């Protein structure tokens, strides 16, 4: 009889869960108290796929999804910037209009998800919102835009997106656009930094109170932005080039310049940005990432991609970085500048995954590693959310909004 009762008490597990990270009591306490914010979550890519509900727990092993509200709660992830992401397409008037339409559909989807789950989550546009939602035990859903393509050639779109809750724009994605040069366009630089229109975009973002995100942009775009901006800027998901020499990462000089400007670099957990993979490994990953981002994948396609990912991971096992490798990037920024200019933007659902941290339920592993390295609760609070919330406040202040 007793055994029967015990069975009833065990909650029915419909999903296999990733193992919770091993954490000391001290790390657990610090993690629970800190406002934890991640500045780059690609979960809207999944949300736009039919049948995906962000309020329902998913199984990483089954579908490689890394973010949903139940797993955010389990992992102690208080808030994330959901990315309105569009890969760069043509720059014609029609294509720009189409990009705007698609971006607005993603905004709608995020708003709907928050509205449908008032007990679990709330839309956040300010640091006050984030701290209030944390107190209420709800997830803070911030909105960022990855790639300024949907701005088109019309500055008025910035106000439109701001009013929908947008608080940062990553000026470009992997290709140059009408705003600026990207760090990874195979055709090389087009403007040697910001375009004339891009300068107007940065000024208007400053005026409205939208954070300028320099992840993905070329080095010269970065320096152009720094010269022009009236407010601190962010790198929502970038790592350190000194530790992993790829153009997507920031050089030491860029990191120091960003810090002098009051900004913050949020460390990216995409394996190829944490630890440089061998060339054949990188080629396979690139091809796979492009396929994963497609929106019309059938279940069979998804399974094939999961198998492909597993096979790649197995083949290049020694290339795969760990949580320790990712925290090395955090520590590198601290040594270069101070603990005030670094944060976390893991790029989950966009390829962010290291050994020991595969979905959002496992983020305690970062706190554990920081505690092990001797960082104080105060330092860890800054890294996890304090710094990015300070920058958001500064950007709003510079715009005269608060
Ligand atoms: Zn990105």
């Amino acid at each position: 009889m007793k055994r029967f009762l015990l069975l009833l008490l065990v909650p029915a597990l419909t999903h296999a869960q990733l193992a919770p990270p091993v954490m000391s009591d001290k790390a657990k306490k610090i993690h629970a108290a800190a406002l934890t914010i991640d500045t780059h979550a690609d979960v809207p890519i999944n949300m736009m796929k039919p049948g995906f509900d962000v309020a329902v727990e998913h199984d990483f092993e089954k579908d490689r999804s890394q973010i949903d509200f139940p797993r955010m709660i389990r992992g102690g992830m208080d808030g994330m910037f959901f990315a309105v992401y569009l890969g760069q397409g043509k720059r014609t008037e029609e294509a720009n209009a189409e990009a705007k339409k698609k971006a607005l559909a993603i905004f709608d989807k995020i708003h709907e998800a928050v509205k449908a789950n008032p007990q679990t989550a709330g839309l956040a546009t300010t640091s006050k919102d984030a701290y209030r939602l944390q107190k209420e035990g709800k997830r803070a859903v911030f909105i960022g835009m990855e790639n300024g393509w949907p701005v088109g050639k019309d500055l008025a779109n910035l106000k439109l997106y701001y009013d929908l809750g947008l608080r940062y724009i990553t000026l470009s994605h992997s290709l140059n656009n009408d705003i600026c040069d990207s760090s990874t366009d195979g055709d090389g630089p087009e403007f040697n930094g910001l375009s004339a229109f891009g300068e107007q975009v940065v000024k208007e973002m400053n005026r409205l109170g939208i954070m300028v995100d320099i992840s993905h942009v070329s080095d010269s775009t970065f320096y152009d932005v720094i010269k022009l901006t009236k407010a601190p800027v962010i790198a929502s998901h970038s790592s350190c080039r000194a530790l992993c020499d790829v153009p997507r990462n920031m050089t030491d000089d860029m990191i120091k310049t960003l810090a002098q400007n009051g900004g913050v670099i949020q460390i990216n957990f995409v394996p190829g940005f944490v630890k440089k993979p061998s060339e054949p490994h990188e080629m396979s990953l690139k091809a796979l990432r492009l396929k994963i981002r497609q929106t019309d994948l059938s279940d069979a396609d998804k399974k094939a991609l999961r198998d492909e990912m597993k096979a790649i991971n197995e083949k290049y096992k020694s290339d795969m970085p760990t949580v320790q490798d990712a925290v090395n990037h955090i520590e590198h920024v601290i040594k270069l500048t101070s603990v005030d200019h670094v944060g976390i933007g893991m790029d989950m659902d966009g390829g962010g995954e290291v050994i020991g941290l595969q979905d959002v339920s496992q983020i305690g592993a970062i706190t554990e590693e920081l505690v092990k390295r001797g960082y104080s609760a105060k330092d860890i609070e800054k890294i996890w959310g304090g710094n990015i919330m300070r920058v958001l406040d500064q950007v709003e202040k510079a715009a005269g909004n608060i």
Side-chain angles (χ1 to χ4, degrees):
M1 184 64 189
K2 253 185 190 164
R3 198 193 281 165
F4 177 63
L5 273 177
L6 210 68
L7 276 174
L8 280 180
L9 288 172
V10 175
L13 278 181
T14 48
H15 287 91
Q17 296 177 341
L18 293 177
V22 178
M23 293 170 77
S24 66
D25 287 344
K26 185 178 175 190
K28 276 184 191 162
K29 220 172 123 190
I30 293 173
H31 192 73
L35 173 73
T36 50
I37 301 283
D38 176 289
T39 48
H40 197 82
D42 271 322
V43 60
I45 295 177
N46 284 334
M47 291 163 73
M48 293 307 283
K49 292 174 188 168
F52 185 94
D53 183 351
V54 71
V56 171
E57 176 147 356
H58 297 77
D59 180 349
F60 175 80
E61 297 288 358
K62 250 193 218 161
D63 59 12
R64 301 202 65 80
S65 137
Q66 295 177 289
I67 300 167
D68 47 46
F69 292 149
R71 282 181 293 173
M72 283 175 74
I73 294 168
R74 211 144 43 76
M77 178 98 262
D78 295 317
M80 300 181 100
F81 279 76
F82 282 25
V84 175
Y85 159 75
L86 287 176
Q88 185 63 44
K90 284 187 186 146
R91 284 149 59 179
T92 59
E93 211 173 299
E94 301 76 52
N96 290 350
E98 191 56 31
K100 178 177 173 180
K101 209 170 113 190
K102 282 187 183 155
L104 290 173
I106 303 172
F107 275 106
D108 275 354
K109 184 60 93 175
I110 297 171
H111 289 161
E112 271 168 31
V114 172
K115 240 180 243 155
N117 298 283
Q119 304 306 321
T120 316
L123 194 69
T125 57
T126 63
S127 64
K128 262 193 194 147
D129 286 342
Y131 288 108
R132 173 182 49 81
L133 287 162
Q134 184 197 16
K135 269 203 198 106
E136 294 171 4
K138 296 179 189 173
R139 306 307 104 188
V141 175
F142 281 97
I143 305 179
M145 178 181 276
E146 179 171 34
N147 194 4
W149 182 33
V151 177
K153 298 281 266 178
D154 186 0
L155 290 179
N157 284 327
L158 291 169
K159 172 81 164 89
L160 173 75
Y161 300 143
Y162 176 85
D163 288 342
L164 291 173
L166 184 72
R167 287 301 178 269
Y168 79 68
I169 299 177
T170 320
L171 297 180
S172 78
H173 189 242
S174 307
L175 301 176
N176 303 338
N177 60 17
D178 285 323
I179 298 171
C180 65
D181 291 339
S182 164
S183 60
T184 49
D185 195 314
D187 290 340
E190 189 174 328
F191 313 103
N192 288 315
L194 278 172
S195 69
F197 175 68
E199 290 177 3
Q200 298 304 314
V201 168
V202 169
K203 282 182 190 163
E204 181 66 0
M205 286 169 76
N206 279 173
R207 193 186 70 81
L208 290 167
I210 303 175
M211 294 188 285
V212 178
D213 176 16
I214 53 80
S215 284
H216 280 287
V217 306
S218 74
D219 294 8
S220 23
T221 301
F222 166 79
Y223 287 106
D224 278 358
V225 168
I226 288 290
K227 253 186 262 160
L228 192 64
T229 185
K230 299 261 186 294
V233 303
I234 65 165
S236 72
H237 60 307
S238 291
S239 300
C240 307
R241 215 180 288 176
L243 301 189
C244 177
D245 188 8
V246 292
R248 257 293 271 115
N249 286 340
M250 295 178 74
T251 65
D252 286 358
D253 185 69
M254 287 162 79
I255 293 168
K256 281 192 221 158
T257 308
L258 179 90
Q260 275 158 17
N261 164 268
V264 59
I265 167 173
Q266 307 279 108
I267 299 301
N268 189 324
F269 282 45
V270 168
F273 304 151
V274 176
K275 193 172 152 190
K276 202 170 160 106
S278 58
E279 213 160 286
H281 185 189
E282 182 50 29
M283 296 291 277
S284 331
L285 284 175
K286 228 183 213 171
L288 187 69
R289 274 202 289 268
L290 282 176
K291 287 187 222 165
I292 288 173
R293 285 191 171 225
Q294 288 167 18
T295 45
D296 52 352
L297 294 172
S298 68
D299 283 349
D301 292 338
K302 285 184 203 164
K303 194 189 171 301
L305 288 176
R306 283 196 300 277
D307 292 344
E308 197 179 329
M309 184 63 157
K310 265 193 183 159
I312 293 174
N313 285 348
E314 194 52 42
K315 191 170 172 192
Y316 301 105
K317 225 178 191 168
S318 59
D319 280 357
M320 192 67 178
T322 60
V323 172
Q324 287 74 28
D325 291 319
V327 172
N328 287 346
H329 285 256
I330 296 177
E331 199 148 50
H332 182 75
V333 178
I334 295 171
K335 283 180 181 156
L336 270 182
T337 63
S338 75
V339 77
D340 294 324
H341 301 286
V342 67
I344 292 160
M346 295 180 288
D347 208 352
M348 278 192 176
D349 287 332
E353 174 196 342
V354 296
I355 293 174
L357 181 39
Q358 293 187 296
D359 77 5
V360 72
S361 74
Q362 296 184 311
I363 60 161
I366 301 170
T367 308
E368 171 69 12
E369 183 61 23
L370 290 168
V371 168
K372 266 192 196 157
R373 294 189 191 199
Y375 289 99
S376 67
K378 215 175 147 200
D379 290 340
I380 294 171
E381 276 170 21
K382 283 181 176 181
I383 296 166
W384 258 127
N387 290 337
I388 186 67
M389 290 299 102
R390 178 200 79 230
V391 173
L392 181 60
D393 284 347
Q394 283 174 302
V395 170
E396 292 272 22
K397 252 181 220 155
N401 297 342
I402 52 173

